Amino acid sequence: MRYEVQLASSNSQQRSRVIELERHASGWRVTLDGRSLAVDAVEISPDTISILLDGQCFEISVTQSPDGKLKLQTGAHEFTAEVIDPRAWGGRRHGTVEAEGRQQILAPMPGKIVRILVREGDPVEAGQGLLVVEAMKMQNEIRSPKSGIIERVLAAEGQPVNAGEILCIVA
């Protein structure tokens, strides 16, 4: 599959860029303004992608705005993306499947709970932030894989966590 996305930084000093993404058996081929880049990309949760580029790791959160544009956020940087080929992107987005049944939300890596965004009994939507875990000096928002109700919150702010530890449960 091939996606073309036109990016514009929230900082108006930067010009628009055209990125082409093409999935291969061995990963992704990325072209930025016609220049090929070696990238390793993995979807680590719904709408969150971890990218290894030139030895640096970036975690990118993707959300869709009401006007159909995409908001990409990595660290303190935020970009707006406009899909040039909506057929390619639309087919991928509609293929997203929401998790079903009771879901245990696990810590993806060792770190520390920085912020808890929900309480027991709160209704949540798929993709909504539940907790923020800090690992390797980066804050990672852990999102809900499904719409539902927060059944239990098993973590507390400031608590250290191990990879795979249950943080909360969405029913």
Side-chain angles (χ1 to χ4, degrees):
M1 273 187 210
R2 185 170 172 233
Y3 310 105
E4 291 186 39
V5 180
Q6 185 169 8
L7 290 177
S9 171
S10 56
N11 173 356
S12 60
Q13 295 174 1
Q14 226 176 6
R15 66 183 174 91
S16 292
R17 313 287 292 246
V18 177
I19 298 175
E20 295 178 47
L21 306 164
E22 190 172 1
R23 186 184 288 276
H24 288 277
S26 60
W28 290 86
R29 185 178 69 81
V30 177
T31 306
L32 175 63
D33 294 333
R35 188 175 60 108
S36 190
L37 301 172
V39 173
D40 185 16
V42 176
E43 189 171 22
I44 56 175
S45 67
D47 300 321
T48 304
I49 302 166
S50 177
I51 294 178
L52 186 62
L53 174 65
D54 292 332
Q56 290 186 312
C57 185
F58 301 93
E59 186 174 303
I60 300 174
S61 297
V62 181
T63 54
Q64 191 161 8
S65 62
D67 63 1
K69 293 186 179 182
L70 301 174
K71 184 176 95 172
L72 308 174
Q73 187 167 6
T74 178
H77 303 287
E78 188 173 296
F79 300 90
T80 303
E82 184 176 346
V83 178
I84 296 171
D85 182 356
R87 291 170 300 164
W89 186 260
R92 179 185 180 274
R93 301 307 292 164
H94 294 345
T96 301
V97 177
E98 188 174 312
E100 293 183 14
R102 187 171 182 254
Q103 297 291 310
Q104 294 181 342
I105 310 305
L106 308 176
M109 62 195 82
K112 180 174 84 170
I113 302 296
V114 176
R115 196 167 39 251
I116 297 180
L117 306 172
V118 295
R119 292 187 297 237
E120 290 181 12
D122 284 355
V124 294
E125 296 294 322
Q128 179 179 336
L130 304 174
L131 310 110
V132 178
V133 176
E134 184 177 280
M136 298 180 353
K137 298 185 182 181
M138 294 214 29
Q139 293 189 1
N140 304 289
E141 186 175 65
I142 309 301
R143 299 174 184 267
S144 179
K146 64 172 268 168
S147 297
I149 304 289
I150 300 297
E151 186 177 289
R152 292 192 62 199
V153 176
L154 301 163
E157 289 185 8
Q159 171 186 341
V161 294
N162 294 313
E165 190 172 327
I166 301 171
L167 304 176
C168 70
I169 299 171
V170 180

